[in-house]
Amino acid sequence: MEWCMSMPKVELHAHLNGSIRDSTLLELAKGLGDKGLIDFSQVEHVVLKNDRSLSEVFKLFDVIHILTTDHATVTRITKEVIEDFASENVVYVELRTTPKKNEAKGMSKRSYIEAVLEGLRAISSVDVCFIPHSEELKNHSNPISISAINDKCNENTRKKIFVRLLLSIDRRETTEAAMETVMLALEMRHFGVVGIDLSGNPAVGEWVTYLPALKFARGQGLYVTLHCGEVPNSREIHDMLDFLPERIGHACFFEEEHWKKLKSTKIPVELCLTSNIRTLSVPSIDAHHFVDLYKAKHPVVLCTDDSGVFSTSLSNEYKIAASSFGLGRKEMFELSKSAVEFIFADNTVKEDLRNIFSLAAKNLE
Ligand code: 6MZ
């Protein structure tokens, strides 16, 4: 299914630290091992392990964060992750990441995001468009903004990828910490931050803790996407749907009343097939809720979640959907194209993406 690779795709649910290449993680672990800061053989075992329960995945993230939370590494992994998506013809990605403090490295939440932006600027193999076009117009006296990093990019034949950022609130955080992330997102809007994600170990924390920050974000015009129903928690799923987020991720442990509510609200769902199977959040691919939602014509988008941790790619997710659910090339193309309507970037970007898909459709005929 070469076409899964070559057709344009839109990635709306990808966590930066979950999308790191294994080779990079091992190189970083080796570096810290050589300095005597960690036991490399232990970390190597954890990184290369393939089957993990959901709770083991969060233990792995704690290990990954030890390896990656310094400015240079955050810049490096951002660059590599976007290059990897571009190489499989992802034309728009909303990359999400949790801004982190690391006092030992002089890192604040703000400098963490600046390091992410540095990573976007460092990419040269493809045009990366992450500065909203409206910002470029506003600042056109500033030569730095007139560069190949804004939405207009150059109109030549070079490959181009649109990138927008979502700042994640980790469920371990307090209301104050969540609010700090939202304030940062507001400050960073002109660098392509479009929204807030709520993620982290679903066994931890309470919805009411994050609600004030999420309400504030919404009031300020930021988009919100929530990890919803990753574990059975009927009350929380109910409350999350009541909030009417612009999108939700996963929706694995929904009950009848939740499905009804979801379908009536038409909230788009980010579906991560491999992630759900690996973490045993769904019993089997045949039983995946993709089937029901797709048949009901509910808005869904296929995503990777953590392409590094789950050894997958967006092309692979499309391949799995096509072969598991008996969908043909045309149907998969339409599915990919429909994701454009659920992105958080503005209409100018949507229009550009619609054109990219129209052009690709001609090649499909
Ligand atoms: C919930 C997840 C997740 O933010 O450090 N994360 N949260 N469910 C999942 N499904 C498996 N996968 C990743 O990326 C890693 C962080 O993203 C969240 C977790 O908070 C994890 O620590 P960043 O770039």
Side-chain angles (χ1 to χ4, degrees), residues 13-19 54 57-58 61-62 64-65 68 77 96-100 112 168-172 197-202 227 230 250 275-276 279 305-306 309-310:
H13 188 133
H15 299 269
L16 172 61
N17 276 279
S19 309
L54 194 58
V57 164
F58 292 103
F61 280 123
D62 287 341
I64 293 178
H65 289 145
T68 60
I77 60 175
R96 54 186 77 191
T97 192
T98 321
K100 297 170 191 74
Y112 176 94
S168 302
I169 295 169
D170 186 317
R171 294 181 63 110
R172 289 176 292 197
D197 154 58
L198 174 66
S199 54
N201 189 342
H227 281 61
E230 243 188 319
H250 297 299
S275 162
N276 295 159
T279 57
D305 203 6
D306 299 294
V309 168
F310 299 120

mmCIF file of all heavy atoms in Angstrom, residues 13-19 54 57-58 61-62 64-65 68 77 96-100 112 168-172 197-202 227 230 250 275-276 279 305-306 309-310, ligand 1:
data_model
loop_
_atom_site.group_PDB
_atom_site.id
_atom_site.type_symbol
_atom_site.label_atom_id
_atom_site.label_comp_id
_atom_site.label_asym_id
_atom_site.label_seq_id
_atom_site.Cartn_x
_atom_site.Cartn_y
_atom_site.Cartn_z
ATOM 1 N N HIS A 13 -2.915 14.379 16.297
ATOM 2 C CA HIS A 13 -2.691 13.907 17.668
ATOM 3 C C HIS A 13 -1.322 13.225 17.744
ATOM 4 O O HIS A 13 -1.194 12.012 17.553
ATOM 5 C CB HIS A 13 -3.806 12.928 18.083
ATOM 6 C CG HIS A 13 -3.779 12.541 19.528
ATOM 7 N ND1 HIS A 13 -4.900 12.543 20.342
ATOM 8 C CD2 HIS A 13 -2.775 12.123 20.339
ATOM 9 C CE1 HIS A 13 -4.589 12.155 21.564
ATOM 10 N NE2 HIS A 13 -3.298 11.879 21.589
ATOM 11 N N ALA A 14 -0.297 14.054 17.975
ATOM 12 C CA ALA A 14 1.067 13.522 18.084
ATOM 13 C C ALA A 14 1.761 14.237 19.243
ATOM 14 O O ALA A 14 1.849 15.468 19.259
ATOM 15 C CB ALA A 14 1.833 13.763 16.789
ATOM 16 N N HIS A 15 2.220 13.446 20.218
ATOM 17 C CA HIS A 15 2.958 14.007 21.365
ATOM 18 C C HIS A 15 4.441 14.041 21.018
ATOM 19 O O HIS A 15 5.012 13.011 20.628
ATOM 20 C CB HIS A 15 2.778 13.124 22.600
ATOM 21 C CG HIS A 15 1.353 12.987 23.062
ATOM 22 N ND1 HIS A 15 0.788 13.833 23.984
ATOM 23 C CD2 HIS A 15 0.383 12.098 22.733
ATOM 24 C CE1 HIS A 15 -0.467 13.461 24.215
ATOM 25 N NE2 HIS A 15 -0.743 12.412 23.473
ATOM 26 N N LEU A 16 5.065 15.208 21.197
ATOM 27 C CA LEU A 16 6.479 15.338 20.834
ATOM 28 C C LEU A 16 7.343 14.230 21.451
ATOM 29 O O LEU A 16 8.046 13.509 20.738
ATOM 30 C CB LEU A 16 7.000 16.726 21.265
ATOM 31 C CG LEU A 16 8.504 16.946 21.128
ATOM 32 C CD1 LEU A 16 8.955 16.800 19.679
ATOM 33 C CD2 LEU A 16 8.911 18.318 21.669
ATOM 34 N N ASN A 17 7.301 14.087 22.769
ATOM 35 C CA ASN A 17 8.206 13.127 23.412
ATOM 36 C C ASN A 17 7.809 11.666 23.201
ATOM 37 O O ASN A 17 8.571 10.769 23.555
ATOM 38 C CB ASN A 17 8.337 13.435 24.910
ATOM 39 C CG ASN A 17 9.382 14.502 25.165
ATOM 40 O OD1 ASN A 17 10.584 14.240 25.195
ATOM 41 N ND2 ASN A 17 8.932 15.752 25.295
ATOM 42 N N GLY A 18 6.645 11.461 22.591
ATOM 43 C CA GLY A 18 6.254 10.093 22.249
ATOM 44 C C GLY A 18 6.627 9.756 20.817
ATOM 45 O O GLY A 18 6.483 8.621 20.380
ATOM 46 N N SER A 19 7.087 10.762 20.077
ATOM 47 C CA SER A 19 7.314 10.571 18.639
ATOM 48 C C SER A 19 8.803 10.523 18.278
ATOM 49 O O SER A 19 9.166 10.628 17.111
ATOM 50 C CB SER A 19 6.637 11.721 17.861
ATOM 51 O OG SER A 19 5.298 11.868 18.252
ATOM 52 N N LEU A 54 -0.896 0.508 29.549
ATOM 53 C CA LEU A 54 -1.002 1.972 29.589
ATOM 54 C C LEU A 54 -0.158 2.531 30.736
ATOM 55 O O LEU A 54 0.543 3.530 30.570
ATOM 56 C CB LEU A 54 -2.482 2.370 29.736
ATOM 57 C CG LEU A 54 -2.822 3.831 29.463
ATOM 58 C CD1 LEU A 54 -2.406 4.262 28.069
ATOM 59 C CD2 LEU A 54 -4.321 4.085 29.645
ATOM 60 N N VAL A 57 3.433 2.643 29.887
ATOM 61 C CA VAL A 57 3.745 3.709 28.933
ATOM 62 C C VAL A 57 4.106 4.995 29.692
ATOM 63 O O VAL A 57 5.051 5.698 29.347
ATOM 64 C CB VAL A 57 2.547 3.956 27.973
ATOM 65 C CG1 VAL A 57 2.677 5.277 27.242
ATOM 66 C CG2 VAL A 57 2.435 2.823 26.974
ATOM 67 N N PHE A 58 3.360 5.268 30.775
ATOM 68 C CA PHE A 58 3.647 6.503 31.518
ATOM 69 C C PHE A 58 4.960 6.403 32.297
ATOM 70 O O PHE A 58 5.639 7.410 32.483
ATOM 71 C CB PHE A 58 2.447 6.900 32.391
ATOM 72 C CG PHE A 58 1.290 7.306 31.530
ATOM 73 C CD1 PHE A 58 0.216 6.462 31.325
ATOM 74 C CD2 PHE A 58 1.324 8.506 30.838
ATOM 75 C CE1 PHE A 58 -0.808 6.809 30.468
ATOM 76 C CE2 PHE A 58 0.300 8.872 29.973
ATOM 77 C CZ PHE A 58 -0.769 8.018 29.787
ATOM 78 N N PHE A 61 7.497 7.308 29.755
ATOM 79 C CA PHE A 61 7.599 8.748 29.536
ATOM 80 C C PHE A 61 8.486 9.414 30.591
ATOM 81 O O PHE A 61 9.234 10.343 30.276
ATOM 82 C CB PHE A 61 6.216 9.407 29.487
ATOM 83 C CG PHE A 61 5.545 9.239 28.159
ATOM 84 C CD1 PHE A 61 4.298 8.645 28.048
ATOM 85 C CD2 PHE A 61 6.182 9.656 27.000
ATOM 86 C CE1 PHE A 61 3.699 8.469 26.816
ATOM 87 C CE2 PHE A 61 5.587 9.486 25.750
ATOM 88 C CZ PHE A 61 4.336 8.886 25.666
ATOM 89 N N ASP A 62 8.423 8.921 31.811
ATOM 90 C CA ASP A 62 9.299 9.500 32.845
ATOM 91 C C ASP A 62 10.771 9.279 32.480
ATOM 92 O O ASP A 62 11.603 10.169 32.667
ATOM 93 C CB ASP A 62 8.971 8.897 34.224
ATOM 94 C CG ASP A 62 7.636 9.435 34.760
ATOM 95 O OD1 ASP A 62 7.191 10.490 34.270
ATOM 96 O OD2 ASP A 62 7.049 8.796 35.662
ATOM 97 N N ILE A 64 11.918 8.817 29.351
ATOM 98 C CA ILE A 64 12.188 9.655 28.162
ATOM 99 C C ILE A 64 12.462 11.100 28.594
ATOM 100 O O ILE A 64 13.402 11.740 28.108
ATOM 101 C CB ILE A 64 11.004 9.598 27.164
ATOM 102 C CG1 ILE A 64 10.901 8.198 26.563
ATOM 103 C CG2 ILE A 64 11.155 10.656 26.057
ATOM 104 C CD1 ILE A 64 9.746 7.997 25.596
ATOM 105 N N HIS A 65 11.647 11.589 29.525
ATOM 106 C CA HIS A 65 11.813 12.996 29.932
ATOM 107 C C HIS A 65 13.170 13.248 30.588
ATOM 108 O O HIS A 65 13.739 14.329 30.456
ATOM 109 C CB HIS A 65 10.656 13.423 30.856
ATOM 110 C CG HIS A 65 9.349 13.550 30.123
ATOM 111 N ND1 HIS A 65 8.136 13.233 30.670
ATOM 112 C CD2 HIS A 65 9.074 13.950 28.852
ATOM 113 C CE1 HIS A 65 7.175 13.436 29.779
ATOM 114 N NE2 HIS A 65 7.723 13.864 28.674
ATOM 115 N N THR A 68 15.479 13.771 27.629
ATOM 116 C CA THR A 68 15.241 14.827 26.621
ATOM 117 C C THR A 68 15.069 16.245 27.170
ATOM 118 O O THR A 68 15.074 17.200 26.378
ATOM 119 C CB THR A 68 13.954 14.523 25.804
ATOM 120 O OG1 THR A 68 12.844 14.460 26.707
ATOM 121 C CG2 THR A 68 14.064 13.207 25.065
ATOM 122 N N ILE A 77 14.863 16.969 18.959
ATOM 123 C CA ILE A 77 13.763 16.016 18.724
ATOM 124 C C ILE A 77 12.625 16.682 17.940
ATOM 125 O O ILE A 77 11.994 16.041 17.110
ATOM 126 C CB ILE A 77 13.250 15.340 20.028
ATOM 127 C CG1 ILE A 77 12.718 16.361 21.043
ATOM 128 C CG2 ILE A 77 14.326 14.447 20.643
ATOM 129 C CD1 ILE A 77 12.091 15.727 22.291
ATOM 130 N N ARG A 96 1.792 18.335 19.737
ATOM 131 C CA ARG A 96 1.473 18.753 21.112
ATOM 132 C C ARG A 96 2.630 18.398 22.033
ATOM 133 O O ARG A 96 3.301 17.378 21.842
ATOM 134 C CB ARG A 96 0.167 18.119 21.589
ATOM 135 C CG ARG A 96 0.100 16.633 21.481
ATOM 136 C CD ARG A 96 -1.281 16.083 21.830
ATOM 137 N NE ARG A 96 -2.270 16.254 20.791
ATOM 138 C CZ ARG A 96 -3.568 16.042 20.943
ATOM 139 N NH1 ARG A 96 -4.046 15.651 22.111
ATOM 140 N NH2 ARG A 96 -4.417 16.196 19.939
ATOM 141 N N THR A 97 2.873 19.236 23.003
ATOM 142 C CA THR A 97 3.904 18.926 23.976
ATOM 143 C C THR A 97 3.621 19.648 25.289
ATOM 144 O O THR A 97 2.987 20.703 25.308
ATOM 145 C CB THR A 97 5.317 19.256 23.437
ATOM 146 O OG1 THR A 97 6.283 18.673 24.317
ATOM 147 C CG2 THR A 97 5.584 20.748 23.309
ATOM 148 N N THR A 98 4.095 19.048 26.379
ATOM 149 C CA THR A 98 3.884 19.607 27.720
ATOM 150 C C THR A 98 5.056 20.521 28.058
ATOM 151 O O THR A 98 6.191 20.035 28.199
ATOM 152 C CB THR A 98 3.844 18.460 28.768
ATOM 153 O OG1 THR A 98 3.139 17.349 28.213
ATOM 154 C CG2 THR A 98 3.206 18.915 30.064
ATOM 155 N N PRO A 99 4.830 21.838 28.189
ATOM 156 C CA PRO A 99 5.943 22.715 28.574
ATOM 157 C C PRO A 99 6.452 22.304 29.950
ATOM 158 O O PRO A 99 5.661 22.061 30.868
ATOM 159 C CB PRO A 99 5.297 24.107 28.622
ATOM 160 C CG PRO A 99 4.030 23.989 27.856
ATOM 161 C CD PRO A 99 3.574 22.581 28.000
ATOM 162 N N LYS A 100 7.790 22.183 30.070
ATOM 163 C CA LYS A 100 8.371 21.651 31.316
ATOM 164 C C LYS A 100 9.372 22.611 31.919
ATOM 165 O O LYS A 100 10.075 23.312 31.194
ATOM 166 C CB LYS A 100 9.067 20.314 31.032
ATOM 167 C CG LYS A 100 8.109 19.255 30.562
ATOM 168 C CD LYS A 100 8.837 18.034 30.058
ATOM 169 C CE LYS A 100 7.873 17.109 29.355
ATOM 170 N NZ LYS A 100 7.460 17.574 28.029
ATOM 171 N N TYR A 112 11.327 26.221 27.296
ATOM 172 C CA TYR A 112 11.073 24.900 26.686
ATOM 173 C C TYR A 112 10.408 25.094 25.320
ATOM 174 O O TYR A 112 10.845 24.526 24.311
ATOM 175 C CB TYR A 112 10.171 24.074 27.616
ATOM 176 C CG TYR A 112 9.759 22.725 27.056
ATOM 177 C CD1 TYR A 112 10.488 21.577 27.359
ATOM 178 C CD2 TYR A 112 8.645 22.595 26.212
ATOM 179 C CE1 TYR A 112 10.114 20.335 26.841
ATOM 180 C CE2 TYR A 112 8.270 21.367 25.697
ATOM 181 C CZ TYR A 112 9.000 20.239 26.016
ATOM 182 O OH TYR A 112 8.621 19.019 25.498
ATOM 183 N N SER A 168 0.306 21.080 26.061
ATOM 184 C CA SER A 168 -0.406 20.077 26.858
ATOM 185 C C SER A 168 -0.345 20.405 28.341
ATOM 186 O O SER A 168 0.694 20.822 28.861
ATOM 187 C CB SER A 168 0.217 18.690 26.654
ATOM 188 O OG SER A 168 0.199 18.322 25.298
ATOM 189 N N ILE A 169 -1.475 20.174 28.990
ATOM 190 C CA ILE A 169 -1.512 20.194 30.449
ATOM 191 C C ILE A 169 -1.412 18.727 30.879
ATOM 192 O O ILE A 169 -2.167 17.886 30.385
ATOM 193 C CB ILE A 169 -2.845 20.800 30.948
ATOM 194 C CG1 ILE A 169 -2.929 22.278 30.531
ATOM 195 C CG2 ILE A 169 -3.007 20.620 32.457
ATOM 196 C CD1 ILE A 169 -4.304 22.900 30.747
ATOM 197 N N ASP A 170 -0.459 18.427 31.742
ATOM 198 C CA ASP A 170 -0.292 17.064 32.256
ATOM 199 C C ASP A 170 -1.246 16.890 33.440
ATOM 200 O O ASP A 170 -1.334 17.775 34.310
ATOM 201 C CB ASP A 170 1.170 16.881 32.706
ATOM 202 C CG ASP A 170 1.489 15.450 33.129
ATOM 203 O OD1 ASP A 170 0.667 14.831 33.832
ATOM 204 O OD2 ASP A 170 2.576 14.964 32.776
ATOM 205 N N ARG A 171 -1.939 15.760 33.488
ATOM 206 C CA ARG A 171 -2.930 15.541 34.554
ATOM 207 C C ARG A 171 -2.309 15.569 35.950
ATOM 208 O O ARG A 171 -3.026 15.645 36.939
ATOM 209 C CB ARG A 171 -3.668 14.218 34.319
ATOM 210 C CG ARG A 171 -4.531 14.228 33.059
ATOM 211 C CD ARG A 171 -5.259 12.903 32.903
ATOM 212 N NE ARG A 171 -6.173 12.688 33.999
ATOM 213 C CZ ARG A 171 -7.507 12.711 33.918
ATOM 214 N NH1 ARG A 171 -8.090 12.935 32.759
ATOM 215 N NH2 ARG A 171 -8.265 12.490 34.976
ATOM 216 N N ARG A 172 -0.984 15.510 36.056
ATOM 217 C CA ARG A 172 -0.344 15.602 37.380
ATOM 218 C C ARG A 172 -0.270 17.047 37.864
ATOM 219 O O ARG A 172 0.067 17.310 39.006
ATOM 220 C CB ARG A 172 1.082 15.033 37.333
ATOM 221 C CG ARG A 172 1.123 13.533 37.190
ATOM 222 C CD ARG A 172 2.540 13.032 37.056
ATOM 223 N NE ARG A 172 3.161 13.427 35.796
ATOM 224 C CZ ARG A 172 4.244 12.872 35.292
ATOM 225 N NH1 ARG A 172 4.842 11.898 35.946
ATOM 226 N NH2 ARG A 172 4.751 13.269 34.143
ATOM 227 N N ASP A 197 -4.117 21.032 25.036
ATOM 228 C CA ASP A 197 -4.482 19.614 25.114
ATOM 229 C C ASP A 197 -4.434 19.209 26.587
ATOM 230 O O ASP A 197 -3.579 19.697 27.332
ATOM 231 C CB ASP A 197 -3.450 18.816 24.295
ATOM 232 C CG ASP A 197 -3.280 17.371 24.752
ATOM 233 O OD1 ASP A 197 -4.289 16.646 24.754
ATOM 234 O OD2 ASP A 197 -2.143 16.971 25.087
ATOM 235 N N LEU A 198 -5.349 18.365 27.004
ATOM 236 C CA LEU A 198 -5.244 17.779 28.346
ATOM 237 C C LEU A 198 -4.852 16.321 28.168
ATOM 238 O O LEU A 198 -5.567 15.548 27.517
ATOM 239 C CB LEU A 198 -6.582 17.876 29.094
ATOM 240 C CG LEU A 198 -6.592 17.157 30.450
ATOM 241 C CD1 LEU A 198 -5.650 17.830 31.451
ATOM 242 C CD2 LEU A 198 -8.008 17.098 31.033
ATOM 243 N N SER A 199 -3.687 15.947 28.730
ATOM 244 C CA SER A 199 -3.220 14.566 28.578
ATOM 245 C C SER A 199 -2.499 14.118 29.833
ATOM 246 O O SER A 199 -2.591 14.769 30.878
ATOM 247 C CB SER A 199 -2.318 14.448 27.348
ATOM 248 O OG SER A 199 -1.261 15.393 27.402
ATOM 249 N N GLY A 200 -1.787 13.012 29.747
ATOM 250 C CA GLY A 200 -1.121 12.451 30.925
ATOM 251 C C GLY A 200 -1.870 11.223 31.413
ATOM 252 O O GLY A 200 -2.929 10.872 30.873
ATOM 253 N N ASN A 201 -1.312 10.598 32.421
ATOM 254 C CA ASN A 201 -1.876 9.348 32.941
ATOM 255 C C ASN A 201 -3.338 9.534 33.387
ATOM 256 O O ASN A 201 -3.612 10.266 34.334
ATOM 257 C CB ASN A 201 -1.013 8.899 34.124
ATOM 258 C CG ASN A 201 -1.384 7.509 34.584
ATOM 259 O OD1 ASN A 201 -2.468 7.017 34.257
ATOM 260 N ND2 ASN A 201 -0.499 6.883 35.337
ATOM 261 N N PRO A 202 -4.270 8.855 32.703
ATOM 262 C CA PRO A 202 -5.689 9.078 33.004
ATOM 263 C C PRO A 202 -6.115 8.536 34.372
ATOM 264 O O PRO A 202 -7.226 8.829 34.832
ATOM 265 C CB PRO A 202 -6.412 8.334 31.870
ATOM 266 C CG PRO A 202 -5.430 7.359 31.352
ATOM 267 C CD PRO A 202 -4.066 7.907 31.597
ATOM 268 N N HIS A 227 -7.955 14.382 26.095
ATOM 269 C CA HIS A 227 -7.895 12.923 26.141
ATOM 270 C C HIS A 227 -9.119 12.499 26.944
ATOM 271 O O HIS A 227 -9.238 12.856 28.120
ATOM 272 C CB HIS A 227 -6.628 12.455 26.836
ATOM 273 C CG HIS A 227 -5.421 12.519 25.953
ATOM 274 N ND1 HIS A 227 -4.956 13.693 25.416
ATOM 275 C CD2 HIS A 227 -4.590 11.544 25.500
ATOM 276 C CE1 HIS A 227 -3.893 13.429 24.665
ATOM 277 N NE2 HIS A 227 -3.652 12.142 24.693
ATOM 278 N N GLU A 230 -9.964 7.329 28.061
ATOM 279 C CA GLU A 230 -8.846 6.391 27.852
ATOM 280 C C GLU A 230 -8.907 5.260 28.872
ATOM 281 O O GLU A 230 -8.295 4.210 28.689
ATOM 282 C CB GLU A 230 -7.520 7.140 28.003
ATOM 283 C CG GLU A 230 -6.696 7.170 26.749
ATOM 284 C CD GLU A 230 -5.315 7.736 26.968
ATOM 285 O OE1 GLU A 230 -5.166 8.731 27.703
ATOM 286 O OE2 GLU A 230 -4.366 7.181 26.386
ATOM 287 N N HIS A 250 -9.109 9.521 21.566
ATOM 288 C CA HIS A 250 -9.284 8.145 22.053
ATOM 289 C C HIS A 250 -10.732 7.665 22.151
ATOM 290 O O HIS A 250 -11.140 6.815 21.385
ATOM 291 C CB HIS A 250 -8.540 7.928 23.368
ATOM 292 C CG HIS A 250 -7.065 8.100 23.217
ATOM 293 N ND1 HIS A 250 -6.315 7.313 22.379
ATOM 294 C CD2 HIS A 250 -6.192 8.986 23.752
ATOM 295 C CE1 HIS A 250 -5.047 7.689 22.418
ATOM 296 N NE2 HIS A 250 -4.944 8.725 23.249
ATOM 297 N N SER A 275 -1.876 2.625 19.101
ATOM 298 C CA SER A 275 -1.753 2.986 20.512
ATOM 299 C C SER A 275 -2.823 2.268 21.331
ATOM 300 O O SER A 275 -2.535 1.659 22.366
ATOM 301 C CB SER A 275 -1.896 4.510 20.647
ATOM 302 O OG SER A 275 -2.182 4.877 21.965
ATOM 303 N N ASN A 276 -4.059 2.295 20.849
ATOM 304 C CA ASN A 276 -5.162 1.665 21.592
ATOM 305 C C ASN A 276 -4.995 0.152 21.702
ATOM 306 O O ASN A 276 -5.313 -0.439 22.730
ATOM 307 C CB ASN A 276 -6.516 1.968 20.925
ATOM 308 C CG ASN A 276 -6.881 3.435 20.945
ATOM 309 O OD1 ASN A 276 -7.704 3.887 20.156
ATOM 310 N ND2 ASN A 276 -6.269 4.211 21.842
ATOM 311 N N THR A 279 -1.905 -0.658 24.126
ATOM 312 C CA THR A 279 -2.151 -0.404 25.553
ATOM 313 C C THR A 279 -3.380 -1.168 26.049
ATOM 314 O O THR A 279 -3.831 -0.953 27.172
ATOM 315 C CB THR A 279 -2.367 1.107 25.808
ATOM 316 O OG1 THR A 279 -3.461 1.554 25.004
ATOM 317 C CG2 THR A 279 -1.130 1.930 25.478
ATOM 318 N N ASP A 305 -0.537 9.268 17.810
ATOM 319 C CA ASP A 305 -0.374 9.375 19.264
ATOM 320 C C ASP A 305 1.116 9.503 19.616
ATOM 321 O O ASP A 305 1.596 10.584 19.899
ATOM 322 C CB ASP A 305 -1.003 8.171 19.972
ATOM 323 C CG ASP A 305 -1.374 8.469 21.416
ATOM 324 O OD1 ASP A 305 -1.242 9.643 21.831
ATOM 325 O OD2 ASP A 305 -1.815 7.543 22.129
ATOM 326 N N ASP A 306 1.823 8.368 19.572
ATOM 327 C CA ASP A 306 3.241 8.334 19.959
ATOM 328 C C ASP A 306 3.965 7.404 18.985
ATOM 329 O O ASP A 306 4.167 6.219 19.277
ATOM 330 C CB ASP A 306 3.361 7.792 21.389
ATOM 331 C CG ASP A 306 2.640 8.675 22.397
ATOM 332 O OD1 ASP A 306 3.067 9.813 22.593
ATOM 333 O OD2 ASP A 306 1.640 8.221 22.985
ATOM 334 N N VAL A 309 7.095 5.611 20.560
ATOM 335 C CA VAL A 309 6.785 4.642 21.623
ATOM 336 C C VAL A 309 6.058 3.412 21.064
ATOM 337 O O VAL A 309 6.286 2.288 21.507
ATOM 338 C CB VAL A 309 5.924 5.331 22.718
ATOM 339 C CG1 VAL A 309 5.327 4.338 23.684
ATOM 340 C CG2 VAL A 309 6.753 6.375 23.459
ATOM 341 N N PHE A 310 5.189 3.624 20.072
ATOM 342 C CA PHE A 310 4.417 2.506 19.534
ATOM 343 C C PHE A 310 4.939 2.023 18.181
ATOM 344 O O PHE A 310 4.242 1.261 17.489
ATOM 345 C CB PHE A 310 2.931 2.895 19.432
ATOM 346 C CG PHE A 310 2.319 3.246 20.761
ATOM 347 C CD1 PHE A 310 1.776 4.499 20.988
ATOM 348 C CD2 PHE A 310 2.306 2.325 21.795
ATOM 349 C CE1 PHE A 310 1.222 4.830 22.221
ATOM 350 C CE2 PHE A 310 1.748 2.641 23.034
ATOM 351 C CZ PHE A 310 1.206 3.901 23.251
HETATM 352 C C1 6MZ B 1 -2.306 10.323 27.649
HETATM 353 C C2 6MZ B 1 -0.256 10.797 26.742
HETATM 354 C C3 6MZ B 1 -0.329 9.648 25.919
HETATM 355 O O1 6MZ B 1 4.168 16.263 26.182
HETATM 356 O O2 6MZ B 1 6.381 15.369 26.923
HETATM 357 N N1 6MZ B 1 0.909 11.388 26.498
HETATM 358 N N2 6MZ B 1 -1.241 11.116 27.596
HETATM 359 N N3 6MZ B 1 -2.441 9.200 26.903
HETATM 360 C C4 6MZ B 1 -1.473 8.825 26.031
HETATM 361 N N4 6MZ B 1 -1.654 7.668 25.335
HETATM 362 C C5 6MZ B 1 -0.745 6.615 25.276
HETATM 363 N N5 6MZ B 1 0.777 9.612 25.169
HETATM 364 C C6 6MZ B 1 1.529 10.692 25.532
HETATM 365 O O3 6MZ B 1 4.943 14.045 25.350
HETATM 366 C C7 6MZ B 1 4.795 12.979 26.258
HETATM 367 C C8 6MZ B 1 3.631 13.243 27.177
HETATM 368 O O4 6MZ B 1 2.400 13.211 26.440
HETATM 369 C C9 6MZ B 1 1.363 12.615 27.196
HETATM 370 C C10 6MZ B 1 1.953 12.264 28.553
HETATM 371 O O5 6MZ B 1 1.716 13.326 29.461
HETATM 372 C C11 6MZ B 1 3.441 12.152 28.245
HETATM 373 O O6 6MZ B 1 4.263 12.392 29.369
HETATM 374 P P1 6MZ B 1 5.416 15.512 25.782
HETATM 375 O O7 6MZ B 1 6.064 16.051 24.561
#
